[in-house]
């Protein structure tokens, strides 16, 4: 089917309602996420990258280096899929893998929520702004000629959303099945400069410290009657707040560094983490990459 | 705004990853080894600052602060932003794994440029420093929005509409960013002016 399809101008109404539906769906998801955390003040919590211990799934037992390499290759394979059908298949496989890694669904759900705002922009804009080609099916509303709902654009948006969701779902099995220091040690073994992985570990550690500090300052401001609004006063208060956060962290930085040196820090932490490769590691990597190849082959031979 | 997975063409995703890896290594090398842990600790502070939301009319915008990071850290800014973005990707899925390189370029390059501009034009007087701070904050955000639009448009002609929308969405961010940068610079001038004198990590060398 191609060409333009004249539909009644009344169909424009549901189209106008679409942004509203996306918006309210978005609010609802945030509401669910809030409810799960319990009522109360604004949610300042940053999800922990802690690994869900206790579980001993095949993904947990996998050598981190093989896991990292396979997932990274797979992620690039997934984002290069060109058809919604294969992308949907990939999403199903990712869900299966997620289930296999025995990670709570709420974590993956939060990841999807993190992308929702950005991706809804594509869902709303692409059908309306995609360039009309001769083979496209475009819905035109009555006599409004310039506004067409291009179904190819909708396909494209759905493809993007499927690819993004699949990679997002891979992130949890990748990161939550080993403690962060082990994952980073694996990265270092794979050739990422060790200084970089060490820094990442420090940043991750102090993130929660400063978050706590920022929260205390925020509470102090609220106690003194500060309420955010679109005004110069808010701008000034927030400027001072951010400035204070910087000053305090600069000073803390000096103390932290001195303390690290006093404890014998020489640029690296001792790494008691050892890796031993089992045949199963190779097998799992081969299986995952094979699956990726299969997806690419299906994608290449898909017509339409 | 961070680019998520699945938006960029694979060639662009791979290319931007390679280019940012190059910048990252350069930034790592320009940072004295002793200062590395300090940069890491500061990154956490920048990360926390970027979680602050400000109301702007009916919507709210969150701070990006690439301009301030550049002004305070100089050449190490790229490294700090890389650490922050990796954490945002790992923790919240703000910005995808395969789009990490692209996101790094569109935040890191403006920060480097802002750092350069601030370093050379900050002058001596208070007024000038505040003004240059605001320009760096706003300018870095504009540069970042342009890079974002360019990267989005690399997907093909279909994406030009989305790229334009992304550009428009940054207008309130630019205003808030410029305002907050000016306020932060004026606050630092009163409280700890030495932070603005020389890029933090080069302090001991000079």
């Amino acid at each position: 089917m191609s060409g333009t399809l004249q539909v009644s101008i009344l169909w424009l109404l549901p189209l106008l309602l679409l942004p509203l539906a996306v918006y309210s769906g978005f609010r609802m998801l945030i509401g669910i996420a809030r409810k799960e955390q319990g009522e109360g003040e604004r949610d300042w919590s940053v999800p922990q990258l802690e690994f869900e211990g206790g579980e001993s799934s095949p993904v947990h037992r996998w050598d981190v280096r093989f896991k990292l390499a396979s997932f990274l290759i797979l992620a690039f394979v997934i984002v290069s899929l060109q058809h919604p059908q294969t992308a949907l298949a990939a999403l199903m496989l990712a869900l299966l893998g997620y289930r296999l890694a025995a990670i709570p669904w709420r974590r993956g759900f939060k990841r999807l929520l993190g992308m929702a705002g950005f991706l809804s922009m594509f869902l709303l804009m692409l059908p309306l702004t995609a360039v009309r080609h001769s083979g496209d099916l475009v819905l035109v509303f009555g006599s409004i000629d310039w506004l067409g709902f291009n179904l190819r654009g909708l396909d494209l948006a759905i493809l993007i959303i499927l690819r993004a969701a699949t990679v997002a779902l891979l992130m949890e099995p990748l990161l939550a099945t080993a403690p962060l220091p082990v994952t980073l040690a694996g990265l270092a073994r794979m050739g990422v400069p060790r200084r970089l992985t060490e820094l990442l570990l420090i940043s991750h550690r102090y993130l929660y410290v400063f978050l706590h500090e920022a929260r205390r300052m925020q509470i102090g401001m609220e106690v003194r009657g500060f309420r955010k609004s679109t005004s110069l006063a808010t701008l000034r208060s927030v400027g001072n707040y951010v400035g204070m956060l910087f000053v305090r962290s600069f000073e803390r930085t000096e103390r932290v560094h001195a303390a690290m040196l006093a404890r014998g820090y020489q640029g690296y932490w001792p790494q008691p983490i050892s890796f031993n490769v089992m045949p199963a590691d190779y097998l799992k990597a081969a299986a995952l990459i094979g699956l990726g190849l299969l997806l690419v082959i299906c994608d290449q031979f898909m017509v339409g | 705004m961070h680019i998520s997975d699945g938006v960029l063409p694979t060639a662009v995703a791979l290319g931007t990853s390679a280019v940012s890896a190059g910048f990252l290594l350069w930034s790592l090398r320009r940072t004295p080894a002793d200062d590395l842990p300090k940069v890491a600790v500061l990154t956490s502070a920048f990360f926390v600052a970027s979680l602050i939301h400000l109301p702007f009319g009916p919507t709210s915008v969150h701070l990006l602060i690439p301009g301030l990071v550049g002004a305070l850290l100089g050449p190490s800014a790229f490294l700090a932003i890389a650490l922050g973005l990796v954490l945002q990707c790992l923790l919240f899925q703000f910005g995808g794994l395969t789009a990490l390189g692209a996101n790094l370029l569109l935040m890191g390059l403006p920060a480097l440029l802002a750092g350069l501009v601030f370093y050379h034009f900050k002058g001596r007087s208070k007024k000038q420093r505040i003004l240059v701070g605001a320009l760096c904050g706003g300018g870095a955000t504009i540069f970042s929005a342009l890079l974002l639009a360019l990267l989005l448009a690399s997907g093909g002609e279909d994406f030009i509409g989305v790229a334009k929308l992304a550009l428009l969405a940054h207008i309130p961010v630019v205003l808030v960013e410029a305002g907050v940068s000016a306020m932060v610079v004026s606050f630092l001038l009163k409280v700890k002016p030495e932070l603005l004198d020389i890029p933090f990590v080069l302090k001991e060398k000079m």
Side-chain angles (χ1 to χ4, degrees):
Chain A
M1 273 227 293
S2 70
T4 47
L5 199 65
Q6 287 277 344
V7 293
S8 159
I9 197 157
L10 284 176
W11 281 101
L12 200 55
L13 270 172
L15 189 68
L16 286 174
L17 288 177
L18 190 68
L20 219 64
V22 169
Y23 179 75
S24 55
F26 194 43
R27 299 302 306 183
M28 208 175 73
L29 287 178
I30 291 177
I32 293 173
R34 284 250 171 89
K35 205 170 253 174
E36 192 138 343
Q37 236 132 30
E39 299 296 322
E41 43 199 304
R42 175 165 158 31
D43 175 26
W44 273 86
S45 64
V46 167
Q48 301 257 342
L49 261 187
E50 268 328 296
F51 103 111
E52 297 281 327
E55 299 288 348
S56 181
S57 73
V59 192
H60 283 78
R61 286 193 301 270
W62 197 0
D63 188 304
V64 218
R65 292 167 297 168
F66 286 84
K67 188 166 67 185
L68 282 166
S70 320
F71 273 85
L72 208 58
I73 293 171
L74 200 61
F76 275 100
V77 165
I78 286 162
V79 297
S80 53
L81 294 178
Q82 292 300 327
H83 298 280
Q85 294 91 330
T86 38
L88 187 65
L91 180 65
M92 293 299 154
L93 289 173
L95 283 171
L96 201 69
Y98 196 97
R99 184 79 202 78
L100 210 65
I103 293 163
W105 289 104
R106 136 186 75 84
R107 300 175 59 135
F109 180 71
K110 270 197 185 148
R111 285 192 178 271
L112 296 182
L113 196 64
M115 309 181 302
F118 184 75
L119 290 177
S120 53
M121 183 174 85
F122 288 87
L123 189 59
L124 294 178
M125 288 298 287
L126 276 180
L128 300 179
T129 59
V131 179
R132 288 184 211 179
H133 292 304
S134 53
D136 298 350
L137 180 62
V138 182
L139 302 181
V140 177
F141 306 95
S143 53
I144 310 175
D145 200 30
W146 51 270
L147 188 72
F149 192 84
N150 193 335
L151 289 183
R152 191 177 57 85
L154 186 66
D155 271 355
L156 197 57
I158 290 173
L159 174 65
I160 286 174
I161 291 172
L162 286 174
R163 294 195 290 211
T166 309
V167 179
L169 285 177
L170 288 182
M171 296 291 278
E172 282 299 328
L174 173 63
L175 296 165
T177 51
L180 187 63
V182 176
T183 305
L184 290 178
L187 265 181
R189 294 286 177 89
M190 287 165 64
V192 174
R194 196 157 155 208
R195 284 195 289 176
L196 219 54
T197 59
E198 299 261 325
L199 294 184
L200 211 53
L201 208 54
I202 303 179
S203 298
H204 180 252
R205 162 77 183 80
Y206 278 93
L207 175 67
Y208 296 96
V209 174
F210 289 133
L211 209 58
H212 189 74
E213 180 131 323
R215 192 179 173 182
R216 276 194 307 144
M217 287 163 68
Q218 181 102 359
I219 291 172
M221 284 165 81
E222 272 165 25
V223 165
R224 287 181 220 114
F226 172 70
R227 295 287 176 273
K228 283 181 186 173
S229 65
T230 314
S231 65
L232 208 60
T234 302
L235 217 56
R236 185 171 306 125
S237 303
V238 170
N240 290 355
Y241 167 58
V242 172
M244 198 62 218
L245 193 67
F246 286 169
V247 169
R248 286 193 189 183
S249 34
F250 270 109
E251 284 166 0
R252 189 190 286 266
T253 300
E254 302 284 338
R255 296 199 303 271
V256 168
H257 187 54
M260 280 166 72
L261 290 180
R263 285 165 181 76
Y265 180 77
Q266 290 181 324
Y268 300 108
W269 271 304
Q271 298 249 331
I273 300 156
S274 64
F275 297 103
N276 42 1
V277 184
M278 314 273 258
D281 292 327
Y282 285 103
L283 270 179
K284 285 173 197 165
L288 210 60
I289 293 172
L291 220 52
L293 270 178
L294 197 67
L295 280 173
V296 173
I297 292 168
C298 288
D299 199 52
Q300 289 293 318
F301 285 98
M302 189 147 265
V303 189
Chain B
M1 221 177 262
H2 305 291
I3 302 177
S4 72
D5 287 304
V7 174
L8 298 174
T10 313
V12 177
L14 286 170
T16 47
S17 300
V19 176
S20 354
F23 270 106
L24 185 57
L25 287 178
W26 170 81
S27 183
L28 195 61
R29 205 161 299 151
R30 282 295 303 269
T31 311
D34 275 353
D35 287 339
L36 284 172
K38 298 182 189 173
V39 173
V41 176
L42 279 173
T43 299
S44 337
F46 294 137
F47 185 97
V48 170
S50 77
L51 295 178
I52 297 169
H53 279 256
L54 277 178
F56 188 90
T59 63
S60 78
V61 299
H62 81 93
L63 298 179
L64 302 170
I65 56 165
L68 282 173
V69 177
L72 293 174
L73 290 186
S76 306
F78 201 86
L79 174 61
I81 283 177
L83 294 174
L85 285 179
V86 169
L87 284 175
Q88 282 196 334
C89 168
L90 298 190
L91 292 167
F92 302 116
Q93 204 67 31
F94 289 168
L97 186 65
T98 55
L100 200 55
N103 285 321
L104 192 44
L105 280 188
L106 72 87
M107 288 289 285
L109 290 185
L112 285 181
L113 192 70
L116 204 67
V117 168
F118 191 78
Y119 186 71
H120 284 290
F121 297 98
K122 63 186 171 191
R124 290 263 153 244
S125 71
K126 258 187 182 182
K127 267 210 182 113
Q128 187 176 353
R129 288 199 176 183
I130 294 173
L131 192 69
V132 174
L135 279 178
C136 282
T141 313
I142 293 174
F143 186 22
S144 164
L146 287 174
L147 283 176
L148 172 70
L150 191 74
L151 282 168
L152 286 178
S154 74
E157 49 180 4
D158 292 333
F159 287 85
I160 288 172
V162 179
K164 280 182 194 158
L165 180 72
L167 212 52
L168 279 179
H170 271 83
I171 292 174
V173 189
V174 171
L175 296 175
V176 167
E177 197 73 28
V180 168
S181 300
M183 295 302 175
V184 170
V185 168
S186 109
F187 177 84
L188 289 178
L189 279 174
K190 283 179 222 148
V191 178
K192 211 173 163 70
E194 64 267 30
L195 288 185
L196 296 169
D197 275 341
I198 13 182
F200 163 73
V201 287
L202 302 177
K203 200 158 56 183
E204 268 137 69
K205 295 278 144 65
M206 299 181 96

